[in-house]
Amino acid sequence: MKKIVFYSYLKCSTCRKAANWLDKKDFKYQLIDIVKEPPLLDYLSLALEQYSADKKKVFNTRGKAFKSINLDIYTLSREEIIHLLSIDGKLIKRPFLVYEEKKVILGFNEIEYAKEFL
């Protein structure tokens, strides 16, 4: 069985869509509230690795938390970004899905999910 760790926010409609998709396809996953328990540092590091071409993609840029920090994230070091994300789960693009501890999928795109899981 494939290991899926699914970081979600209860009030996020995109997270609910992603969870419904996984449920309909009978995937088992570990559901974690991203606000109460932000992703592990290893997972955040993996996400930054995968999205290194544009670090901003790891952030929930439309959320109040991101808008309130008023930082140019392109000037921050990798360590500073990881620290920032680890202390406030609302800053992180969601859903934040970790697949087999090797790949991070941010947001929900049905085509991308199908490509990865089916």
Side-chain angles (χ1 to χ4, degrees):
M1 185 166 110
K2 304 288 184 195
K3 182 176 181 192
I4 299 171
V5 180
F6 186 82
Y7 287 92
S8 174
Y9 179 53
L10 229 53
K11 296 179 182 177
C12 171
S13 61
T14 307
C15 294
R16 289 192 301 268
K17 286 178 193 172
N20 285 336
W21 188 92
L22 290 168
D23 291 341
K24 283 181 185 173
K25 306 289 184 197
D26 284 330
F27 284 101
K28 303 292 180 234
Y29 53 90
Q30 177 186 3
L31 182 64
I32 300 172
D33 184 324
I34 199 166
V35 177
K36 291 179 182 168
E37 191 178 329
L40 301 173
L41 297 179
D42 288 348
Y43 294 160
L44 292 171
S45 182
L46 181 61
L48 281 173
E49 227 171 84
Q50 284 181 218
Y51 294 90
S52 62
D54 187 4
K55 297 182 241 180
K56 202 170 189 176
K57 288 188 179 200
V58 179
F59 285 85
N60 176 19
T61 57
R62 292 195 269 167
K64 288 179 189 173
F66 181 80
K67 290 175 181 172
S68 72
I69 60 170
N70 196 24
L71 285 174
D72 179 4
I73 59 165
Y74 296 108
T75 63
L76 300 176
S77 71
R78 178 186 179 88
E79 291 74 24
E80 289 170 321
I81 291 173
I82 289 172
H83 175 72
L84 197 59
L85 295 172
S86 71
I87 60 172
D88 189 352
K90 286 189 177 180
L91 288 174
I92 303 167
K93 176 81 172 174
R94 54 188 185 254
F96 185 102
L97 192 139
V98 183
Y99 183 58
E100 291 286 295
E101 300 198 352
K102 294 179 188 158
K103 180 164 176 94
V104 170
I105 302 170
L106 300 174
F108 174 64
N109 177 309
E110 195 169 330
I111 295 167
E112 185 179 6
Y113 271 46
K115 190 175 86 178
E116 281 303 320
F117 301 123
L118 303 176

